[in-house]
Amino acid sequence: MTETAPYDVLIIGGGPAGLSAALNLGRSLVRVLVVDADRPRNAATLNSHGFLTRDGVPPHELRRIAREELAAYPNVEIRSRVRVAALRSTDAEADGVRFDAEIGRREPETTVSARSVLLATGLRETLPDVPNLRGFYGMSLFSCAACDAWELQGRRLALIGESADLAARARLIGRWTETLTVFTNGADVVSTAEEAELAAAGVAVRRHPIVELVGDRGRLEAIRLADGTTIAVDGGFVRPEWETELSFLDGIAPTLDEAGHLVTDRSGRTDVPGLYAAGDAATPGPQQLIVAAGAGARVAAVIVHDTIGVATAH
């Protein structure tokens, strides 16, 4: 089935960037459709931090409040647990329509058209291959130091990761603790020079594979290694691998950076006319919730200005 009335803006993704954009677009009398698969990356996080007036609020509650506020705008529609199967450009330029999107819960059920599209799809993350890590993630192991290190300050912390930037992340996390151990889980990602630099700062590096995380009810107490040693910890951080999920782009090829994030100008425009991006999917990648929400608001203003041909200072 094809829905005939085009939307002014289709927003793909219902996180802080997408919902913030929807609010600001709605207030500008823009007809908006938000399509949200309802599978947020922070689903395991009990409390989010750093969001002014909402510090400590669970992420799902933040989304609930946002959707409740958006319900006051009849020109903003949200379709939940729905995914975009394909997004294509269209030749129907007479009425300004640039894009067609096939959407549905599992299989495409309908096609909607839009004059502009905002990609706010966030990122998909892959955690290090560590036994029972999921049992602690979001409770005593976290991925964002700026978001969660305050609650862990001064404790014995772990940093688990297999990425090349592990030493740099260790230097950052060292700001909140004097007892930090880096676990590479057998990956050769910390050089000898980096290890010496970390040792000078009091940070130990453990290179053996992790065989078990020890603890109870989400509270991490120790990490057991393949060489038989057990290191006592009180929590810590994980370095996931992140990637964008843009497989639904059918024949549309916006420029990506080396990390696979969407490249935009300072106003959130990609190099595809009418296609914008905000939040974690756009360069520079992972951001705090409040940063993503701010990016969504900014791009919303840009879309409105672009629609009527008003030059913006940003």
Side-chain angles (χ1 to χ4, degrees), residues 122-313:
L123 295 172
R124 181 173 57 194
E125 68 180 13
T126 302
L127 297 176
D129 186 14
V130 173
N132 66 329
L133 189 152
R134 284 283 180 186
F136 299 93
Y137 192 51
M139 290 172 280
S140 56
L141 283 175
F142 307 91
S143 61
C144 174
C147 306
D148 298 292
W150 170 267
E151 285 69 29
L152 297 177
Q153 61 179 303
R155 301 183 188 180
R156 300 171 298 181
L157 300 185
L159 171 60
I160 302 170
E162 302 168 357
S163 61
D165 64 349
L166 202 61
R169 297 183 77 83
R171 290 194 291 271
L172 173 64
I173 293 168
R175 179 178 183 85
W176 286 274
T177 181
E178 294 181 354
T179 310
L180 175 63
T181 304
V182 175
F183 297 87
T184 69
N185 196 34
D188 186 18
V189 292
V190 177
S191 69
T192 302
E194 287 175 327
E195 183 172 1
E197 182 181 351
L198 292 174
V203 178
V205 176
R206 298 284 182 163
R207 297 181 179 273
H208 289 88
I210 297 170
V211 297
E212 184 183 10
L213 299 182
V214 181
D216 184 51
R217 296 183 179 180
R219 182 174 180 176
L220 183 63
E221 298 173 358
I223 296 179
R224 188 168 296 137
L225 302 178
D227 66 347
T229 61
T230 299
I231 312 298
V233 296
D234 302 311
F237 294 88
V238 177
R239 168 55 165 103
E241 296 288 347
W242 290 292
E243 61 181 341
T244 51
E245 175 49 72
L246 301 172
S247 60
F248 58 87
L249 296 180
D250 187 353
I252 301 173
T255 298
L256 307 178
D257 67 10
E258 293 182 356
H261 301 122
L262 289 154
V263 174
T264 68
D265 64 12
R266 293 181 60 194
S267 299
R269 304 179 186 92
T270 72
D271 54 0
V272 175
L275 186 67
Y276 302 79
D280 288 353
T283 301
Q287 305 169 351
Q288 290 178 268
L289 297 182
I290 194 166
V291 177
R298 180 173 184 167
V299 175
V302 170
I303 292 173
V304 173
H305 291 191
D306 285 353
T307 299
I308 60 178
V310 175
T312 59

Side-chain angles (χ1 to χ4, degrees), residues 45-56:
T45 302
L46 297 180
N47 301 100
S48 60
H49 296 281
F51 203 119
L52 191 63
T53 77
R54 292 293 184 266
D55 191 39

Side-chain angles (χ1 to χ4, degrees), residues 112-123:
V112 299
S113 60
R115 296 179 173 88
S116 299
V117 172
L118 171 58
L119 300 175
T121 50
L123 295 172

Side-chain angles (χ1 to χ4, degrees), residues 4-51:
T4 56
Y7 291 89
D8 295 317
V9 180
L10 167 64
I11 299 176
I12 305 176
L19 294 176
S20 177
L23 174 62
N24 286 275
L25 287 167
R27 292 181 59 81
S28 296
L29 305 179
V30 174
R31 185 167 182 253
V32 180
L33 172 63
V34 179
V35 174
D36 184 20
D38 248 351
R39 300 183 66 181
R41 182 165 60 91
N42 59 9
T45 302
L46 297 180
N47 301 100
S48 60
H49 296 281
F51 203 119

